Amino acid sequence: MTTERNEPATTADERTMLEGWLDYHRGTLAWKCEGLTDAQLRTAAVEPSELSLMGLVRHMADVERGWFRRVLAAEDIGPIHYTEEDRDGDFQVSETDTWEEAYATWQAETEAARRNAARFGLDDISAGKHPRSGEQFNLRWIYTHMIEEYARHNGHADLIRERIDGATGD
């Protein structure tokens, strides 16, 4: 698999640019994971941290679900990999966790996110509320937050990938 990443046009309208940057960062995370074995993808950044590339993908699947399905569209579904008792469960991977499953779940959540976002305008207020704060958000805020979330974790992914095999790059 070769991941395609295209930066959005520098003169795109606001929505196209937000969606473009979000897709760019989604692609960046996939690219950082490309060509590695399951064992390498489960490799933690540095002890005592449990942060791994596979854990980041699992986390982002839950983040996509949380913002685009639970908050934006008010779908009555729970998290995938974490629980209220174990808020970091998405980062905790075991020998039985596979890239195939983590990637498929993440891709399914990003497709659901795209479908749900297509039903809303940038200024539309979410149908649901954040489970802890009870706040509602417009789609513009969610897109901006998701770009920030991916950008931050892609920085982590870059360092983890460099530790695994020396590969670097934006």
Side-chain angles (χ1 to χ4, degrees), residues 62 65 70 75-80:
D62 265 316
R65 175 178 279 213
R70 298 173 77 191
E75 291 183 31
D76 187 17
I77 54 175
I80 306 164

Side-chain angles (χ1 to χ4, degrees), residues 95-156:
E95 295 297 315
T96 61
D97 292 310
T98 67
W99 172 247
E100 183 178 351
E101 183 275 328
Y103 182 79
T105 300
W106 178 44
Q107 293 307 295
E109 291 303 322
T110 61
E111 286 306 313
R114 286 184 185 101
R115 282 191 308 274
N116 283 345
R119 300 182 0 235
F120 288 79
L122 291 177
D123 292 319
D124 290 347
I125 302 299
S126 60
K129 296 179 180 181
H130 191 276
R132 288 189 300 276
S133 72
E135 290 180 274
Q136 290 180 289
F137 301 84
N138 68 23
L139 179 58
R140 179 182 290 103
W141 191 97
I142 292 171
Y143 274 146
T144 304
H145 174 69
M146 290 298 294
I147 292 165
E148 175 274 329
E149 181 91 9
Y150 271 102
R152 179 167 28 98
H153 288 313
N154 282 339
H156 299 136

Side-chain angles (χ1 to χ4, degrees), residues 15-72:
R15 184 174 186 131
T16 302
M17 193 163 298
L18 289 168
E19 289 174 349
W21 277 111
L22 181 53
D23 281 339
Y24 176 83
H25 282 292
R26 288 168 172 154
T28 298
L29 183 55
W31 177 54
K32 291 296 174 182
C33 297
E34 199 167 88
L36 297 176
T37 66
D38 281 8
Q40 288 172 313
L41 290 162
R42 288 189 295 263
T43 300
V46 62
E47 291 185 9
S49 175
E50 295 181 292
L51 191 61
S52 67
L53 290 169
M54 191 179 298
L56 285 172
V57 167
R58 288 164 43 105
H59 173 67
M60 292 313 299
D62 265 316
V63 171
E64 294 269 3
R65 175 178 279 213
W67 284 107
F68 288 104
R69 296 181 72 183
R70 298 173 77 191
V71 174
L72 183 64

